[in-house]
Amino acid sequence: MTASNASDDETLAFYDAHAETYADAFADARDEKQLARFIARLPEGGHACDLGAGSGWAAAYMKTEGFAVTALDGSAGLAAQARRRYGLDVTVMRFEEFNFHAVFDGIWAAWSLHHAPRAAFPDILTRVVAGLKTGGVLYLAMKGGRGEGRDKLDRLYAYYEADELRAHLSERGMRVETFETFEGPSFDGSRSPLHAILATKAQSG
C-alpha cells in the first residue's frame, strides 16, 4: 500500500459530510476516565498530540489543564467543528503525513487509527511512536476483532485482536501499562469489542 492511499477517502468523506451530526452525537460520550489517566502521565506543561481530534473535546480539555496541544485530524469538516465549538486550531493531516520526531510527551489516539487499512497500520504506528519522546505515553483506542471491512455508513475499519496490538507496540519499543477490552456502541448503531491501551515508549526510535 502506498502512502497516498493509507488514509481512506470514503471514510474521510463521511466525516466531512456528517461532521456536525457526528460531533453532536458524541458530545457527552467522552473517555474522561481514560483521558485523566493519560494526563496524569504527562509532565507539567508538557506537549501532547491529539491524533484524530474529532470535535476537539479532548484537545480543548488538555489545553485548559495547561498542556501545549497539537491537534490533528484528516477531516476538514471535523476540524471546522473543533474550531466552532472550542476555538481550536486543528491541522488537517492524514495519517501518512504524520512526520514528527521525539516531539511529544504524549499522543492521544482515541478511535482514529482503526480507520487506517491494516496494510498501512505498521508504518503509521511506527510514525506515531517516532513522534514520542523517550518515556512518552501513547493512548490507543481501537475496535477489536479480525480483518477489516466497512460499516453501514461506508467507513473503513481495521480490527485487531489484543495479542496483535501488543505485538505491534512491543516491536516498536512500547511498554504496555494498561490494556482494557470492553463492548461499546458505534455511530452506525452496532456494538463491538473495543480496546483501550496506555503504553510508554521505553526506547528511542
Side-chain angles (χ1 to χ4, degrees):
M1 173 164 292
T2 62
S4 63
N5 61 353
S7 293
D8 183 68
D9 291 337
E10 289 84 355
T11 302
L12 291 177
F14 169 82
Y15 285 116
D16 283 342
H18 302 280
E20 183 172 7
T21 303
Y22 181 82
D24 285 344
F26 288 95
D28 297 319
R30 301 175 176 179
D31 300 333
E32 291 174 337
K33 179 180 177 181
Q34 298 288 358
L35 184 59
R37 287 182 181 176
F38 173 79
I39 286 175
R41 301 296 300 274
L42 300 179
E44 185 176 354
H47 190 179
C49 175
D50 189 347
L51 179 57
S55 66
W57 76 269
Y61 184 82
M62 286 189 279
K63 288 189 72 173
T64 65
E65 292 295 299
F67 298 102
V69 180
T70 296
L72 310 171
D73 203 283
S75 165
L78 286 174
Q81 287 296 311
R83 175 180 287 279
R84 182 174 73 81
R85 293 164 187 259
Y86 300 104
L88 289 174
D89 289 323
V90 177
T91 299
V92 178
M93 178 183 290
R94 290 174 173 242
F95 295 138
E96 62 271 20
E97 296 173 318
F98 189 92
N99 191 31
F100 299 90
H101 296 279
V103 171
F104 302 113
D105 297 294
I107 297 176
W108 173 264
W111 318 115
S112 56
L113 293 183
H114 53 198
H115 287 311
R118 285 181 64 94
F121 182 70
D123 176 67
I124 292 169
L125 186 60
T126 296
R127 288 171 175 268
V128 170
V129 172
L132 284 169
K133 300 174 185 177
T134 299
V137 62
L138 170 66
Y139 175 73
L140 182 64
M142 302 178 68
K143 287 195 175 187
R146 297 180 180 179
E148 68 180 28
R150 296 192 178 277
D151 69 0
K152 300 171 186 176
L153 303 174
D154 206 31
R155 296 178 297 174
L156 177 70
Y157 279 96
Y159 307 101
Y160 294 88
E161 300 283 5
D163 288 348
E164 281 187 281
L165 289 176
R166 286 183 179 274
H168 276 302
L169 290 165
S170 178
E171 288 165 6
R172 289 158 181 81
M174 298 296 295
R175 182 178 64 248
V176 173
E177 306 290 350
T178 62
F179 196 122
E180 300 177 29
T181 298
F182 49 95
E183 186 176 286
S186 185
F187 189 59
D188 71 346
S190 64
R191 296 184 67 84
S192 63
L194 306 171
H195 300 309
I197 307 154
L198 198 67
T200 301
K201 185 173 182 177
Q203 63 188 44
S204 61

